[in-house]
Amino acid sequence: QRARYERVLADRIAIVTAHEDHQGNMALLEAEAKIRRHLKLETAKLKAQGMEYIEAKIKEEGEAQKAALEAQNADVLKHEETLLQDETVEGVTKLAKLESDVAQLEK
């Protein structure tokens, strides 16, 4: 009878141990699932932040390029204005010379 009692006790211990192992495994699986969900959320957040950073950089670089082009355009316009003024002065000088020559020829 003692052997039978020990066998029943050993079986019950094995069942309880298996049940505890199963519960431990289930807890590990749940923890793993929570970690995976958390990692997915964090990954999505980081991707969104990365895209925001990239968009901000592109906008910043675009604005810097726009400012550089506007400055360059202003320089070109100023240069063209200077050339036009020089040509105007030269044209007025030539016109005055021609008028003087015509006046000399009329005398």
Side-chain angles (χ1 to χ4, degrees):
Q1 185 152 3
R2 182 176 172 107
R4 183 173 172 222
Y5 174 75
E6 288 175 357
R7 210 175 49 241
V8 168
L9 186 59
D11 287 346
R12 285 188 181 168
I13 290 172
I15 289 170
V16 169
T17 303
H19 181 69
E20 288 174 350
D21 287 349
H22 175 72
Q23 285 181 327
N25 287 341
M26 291 304 292
L28 287 174
L29 289 174
E30 288 176 20
E32 181 183 5
K34 283 182 183 179
I35 290 170
R36 286 184 187 275
R37 282 192 301 273
H38 179 73
L39 287 175
K40 280 184 181 180
L41 288 174
E42 289 301 313
T43 300
K45 285 180 190 175
L46 288 173
K47 283 182 181 177
Q49 288 173 352
M51 289 305 295
E52 288 173 5
Y53 175 78
I54 289 169
E55 288 170 358
K57 277 297 187 185
I58 288 171
K59 184 178 178 183
E60 181 180 304
E61 289 177 13
E63 289 173 357
Q65 287 178 351
K66 180 181 174 187
L69 287 173
E70 287 173 349
Q72 185 180 9
N73 191 36
D75 288 345
V76 168
L77 289 174
K78 183 67 175 169
H79 180 69
E80 287 178 353
E81 184 181 332
T82 302
L83 288 177
L84 186 58
Q85 287 173 354
D86 291 348
E87 288 174 1
T88 302
V89 169
E90 186 178 321
V92 168
T93 304
K94 284 183 181 179
L95 181 61
K97 173 83 170 102
L98 287 173
E99 288 175 347
S100 172
D101 289 349
V102 167
Q104 287 293 327
L105 288 173
E106 288 178 347
K107 286 185 180 180

